[in-house]
Amino acid sequence: MKKFFIFAAMLLNIVSMNAANYISLGDTVRINPRYLDGYFNVDAGMQIDGMVDDWQLNAAYPDGMTVKLVAGITPLEGMTINYVDRYGHDSKYDATLNVSAAYANISSHIYVQGYWQPYYDEEEQEASLMYECYGSVKWLPGDHSMFNLTFYVSPKFRRGKVVFDGILNSGPDQRGPVLQGVHFVRSTYFWVGYKRGDVSGNEKIDIGDVTLLIDLTLGNEVELDEFQRAAADINGDGMVDINDVTVLIERVLGI
């Protein structure tokens, strides 16, 4: 006996609001000071719990961080979507990134149609050879690496936020739930500096940092820049003293 439309109960099932649906650069991004007056790259990812074939976002950037004018955005692997065409062949679709001047608006829309086999024979344990169109090809629920942004970072930049304000949309799909008109706002805090404890600024925390920190607390002449001095305040109390030395030694020794 054949079972028709095994996903019939899910037809036109629309996810209208969910905090898990967004495109973001992450929550917090640290920029190494060596990138000041240079270029810094960061990836944007999309997290969704329903299918999407259209998304658009408005982006606001902080003073001192501007997207590179030429080739400032690059598609990542998440912009390539696997699907089955009308003949049952496995295919790939490279979604296009659309951007406005200064990258204030970024969007993508899929027009190509995808196909599937909605019928299934329980007795013969095989699908029908008939392929039907389910609608446009879509990003499926999950996490997707979408695009990379290349920023020019001003020498004076120290901290600020990039804000994405966007909409996730989809046409109907026979296979399951889609997102329609889902609004999101995601902020990513960028700051320039070294990790706490990396007094030397070499992106490692080791005995060399302990030595520098001891010299600093003893009042010995140590040439440190503003970022190294900020990294020396291990416990974040606004002072650099013996308490920071104790915390750093424990960290280096793994205590």
Side-chain angles (χ1 to χ4, degrees):
M1 180 178 181
K2 290 188 176 180
K3 186 176 182 180
F4 297 96
F5 299 105
I6 57 176
F7 291 103
M10 304 174 72
L11 290 177
L12 302 180
N13 185 3
I14 298 171
V15 179
S16 61
M17 184 179 298
N18 194 305
N21 298 296
Y22 57 81
I23 298 173
S24 171
L25 297 172
D27 295 325
T28 302
V29 177
R30 179 178 65 87
I31 301 176
N32 187 294
R34 72 172 179 267
Y35 292 109
L36 292 176
D37 198 23
Y39 294 103
F40 180 79
N41 295 288
V42 61
D43 292 347
M46 178 168 68
Q47 178 178 320
I48 51 177
D49 60 13
M51 290 182 283
V52 168
D53 65 14
D54 176 273
W55 57 264
Q56 51 190 308
L57 60 85
N58 298 318
Y61 307 108
D63 291 340
M65 274 184 64
T66 55
V67 183
K68 186 179 177 182
L69 291 180
V70 179
I73 188 168
T74 305
L76 298 176
E77 60 269 21
M79 293 295 290
T80 298
I81 306 170
N82 297 315
Y83 74 102
V84 175
D85 66 17
R86 66 188 306 167
Y87 304 107
H89 299 151
D90 292 333
S91 304
K92 293 182 182 292
Y93 177 77
D94 294 320
T96 301
L97 282 171
N98 306 303
V99 297
S100 66
Y103 302 91
N105 308 104
I106 306 172
S107 65
S108 186
H109 183 80
I110 299 176
Y111 298 97
V112 67
Q113 300 294 294
Y115 291 78
W116 72 321
Q117 296 171 296
Y119 308 111
Y120 189 79
D121 192 314
E122 291 182 337
E123 294 178 357
E124 303 206 7
Q125 295 290 299
E126 62 181 23
S128 165
L129 294 178
M130 180 70 69
Y131 284 87
E132 290 192 359
C133 180
Y134 54 73
S136 60
V137 172
K138 298 174 180 66
W139 285 278
L140 300 179
D143 296 329
H144 305 271
S145 296
M146 301 300 284
F147 55 86
N148 175 277
L149 286 175
T150 300
F151 290 99
Y152 168 73
V153 186
S154 164
K156 296 182 179 180
F157 180 76
R158 293 297 179 268
R159 61 187 61 83
K161 289 183 179 181
V162 173
V163 180
F164 285 170
D165 186 333
I167 296 288
L168 301 168
N169 265 311
S170 176
D173 196 300
Q174 297 185 44
R175 298 171 299 169
V178 298
L179 302 183
Q180 291 189 342
V182 176
H183 176 248
F184 66 89
V185 178
R186 300 289 292 191
S187 297
T188 302
Y189 177 68
F190 286 80
W191 63 281
V192 179
Y194 300 116
K195 294 179 287 186
R196 289 192 186 276
D198 183 15
V199 186
S200 65
N202 65 354
E203 293 295 315
K204 300 178 183 178
I205 297 178
D206 52 27
I207 193 63
D209 297 301
V210 175
T211 301
L212 278 174
L213 186 55
I214 291 174
D215 286 341
L216 186 61
T217 56
L218 291 177
N220 297 333
E221 187 173 340
V222 182
E223 292 187 7
L224 300 178
D225 61 29
E226 62 175 290
F227 307 107
Q228 291 173 288
R229 290 184 177 276
D233 181 14
I234 312 299
N235 59 14
D237 65 356
M239 299 182 293
V240 177
D241 52 28
I242 191 61
N243 294 321
D244 297 299
V245 175
T246 301
V247 174
L248 184 55
I249 290 175
E250 291 177 348
R251 183 178 301 178
V252 170
L253 294 177
I255 299 176

